[in-house]
Amino acid sequence: MAARSLHHHHLLLLLFLFLLAGSLSPSPAAALRFDLQSGHTKCISDDIKVGAMAVGKYHVVAPEWYGSSSSSSSSSQPLLPESHRVSLRVTSPYGNSLHFSENVQSGNFAFTASEAGDYLACFWAPDHRPPATVGFEFDWRSGVSARDWTNVAKKGQVDMMEVELKKLEDTIKSIHEEMFYLRAREEEMQELNRRTNSRMAWLGFFSLAICLSVAGLQLWHLKNFFERKKLL
């Protein structure tokens, strides 16, 4: 009877962990769809902390008027006209280039962040006459969501419960690291505020000293002027 009760408690604990993993683990992010005019640029930023992995993939969407020719193509990614190409540059918060591709139909990138801050992905379309609108989809993930859990399950030969537990573990680690990261950023901002307040206080004292000095010089000049005119 005690063994049955213990087994029942184990099942309830596993069910609770499974539900918690489903609620905390990041859901697969859908690719973002953008429209870009010829000769224009569009930038997307993502705040990534040091050591986090980031992956991205993008592809140009075939225009509606190109549907018939694309359907007749035997390849999964039909060759689009030259007007429907994009270029991409991914840069770090300090301006270091992490990925660059020019006039492509699709591509992907991956990197591990070595700098904390906003990473920038800038797309631009080549000039074309007449102007064309280039639609493309962009999927950018970082941190826990950048990990391929399907391959983890295949390589490790684990069941879905273990995969969910691994997701939960990585999510908790990510939240823990994010808390320390935010705390460090908060300390940096507080130190910046203290330095700014100190500088403003010194600036105020310096401005007050200059005003008092100018007032003293004006009084000394007026006194000498009246003495010369024998008004005092």
Side-chain angles (χ1 to χ4, degrees):
M1 189 71 179
R4 181 179 300 178
S5 177
L6 182 62
H7 181 67
H8 180 68
H9 285 305
H10 283 168
L11 288 178
L12 288 177
L13 179 61
L14 287 177
L15 179 60
F16 171 74
L17 290 176
F18 181 78
L19 294 175
L20 186 62
S23 62
L24 289 181
S25 58
S27 58
L32 300 176
R33 171 70 182 268
F34 298 97
D35 288 329
L36 187 61
Q37 297 292 329
S38 299
H40 288 70
T41 302
K42 185 179 293 293
C43 294
I44 302 100
S45 66
D46 190 12
D47 187 9
I48 305 176
K49 61 180 180 294
V50 175
M53 183 179 180
V55 296
K57 57 183 179 180
Y58 53 95
H59 69 274
V60 177
V61 179
E64 296 180 358
W65 54 265
Y66 201 69
S68 58
S69 60
S70 62
S71 61
S72 61
S73 175
S74 59
S75 61
S76 59
Q77 188 74 19
L79 185 63
L80 298 178
E82 289 297 326
S83 60
H84 285 68
R85 297 287 191 273
V86 293
S87 300
L88 168 65
R89 183 184 297 276
V90 181
T91 56
S92 70
Y94 294 104
N96 298 319
S97 181
L98 303 174
H99 173 79
F100 176 73
S101 57
E102 187 175 11
N103 292 336
V104 295
Q105 183 175 333
S106 61
N108 54 72
F109 61 86
F111 62 87
T112 300
S114 58
E115 306 164 7
D118 289 331
Y119 285 74
L120 205 62
C122 288
F123 291 87
W124 66 92
D127 287 325
H128 188 265
R129 294 293 181 272
T133 301
V134 182
F136 66 94
E137 291 185 352
F138 182 41
D139 186 7
W140 192 1
R141 306 184 185 189
S142 61
V144 179
S145 60
R147 191 168 183 180
D148 191 351
W149 292 103
T150 304
N151 288 336
V152 171
K154 289 180 180 178
K155 291 178 182 178
Q157 297 297 319
V158 295
D159 57 20
M160 289 305 299
M161 178 65 72
E162 293 181 69
V163 172
E164 293 299 329
L165 290 176
K166 287 182 181 293
K167 284 184 182 181
L168 177 60
E169 181 183 3
D170 277 9
T171 302
I172 293 174
K173 286 181 180 178
S174 177
I175 294 173
H176 191 253
E177 293 173 356
E178 187 71 19
M179 289 176 62
F180 278 104
Y181 172 70
L182 293 176
R183 183 179 299 175
R185 291 291 294 270
E186 182 182 3
E187 291 177 355
E188 291 177 1
M189 294 303 297
Q190 289 178 353
E191 181 63 25
L192 178 61
N193 288 336
R194 284 194 291 267
R195 290 200 305 266
T196 303
N197 292 335
S198 177
R199 291 173 182 174
M200 292 301 297
W202 280 108
L203 180 61
F205 288 134
F206 184 67
S207 301
L208 180 61
I210 291 178
C211 291
L212 292 176
S213 300
V214 171
L217 288 174
Q218 287 179 342
L219 289 175
W220 177 77
H221 176 72
L222 289 174
K223 181 181 178 182
N224 290 337
F225 174 77
F226 289 134
E227 286 179 351
R228 285 197 304 266
K229 297 296 184 179
K230 297 179 180 181
L231 295 176
L232 290 179

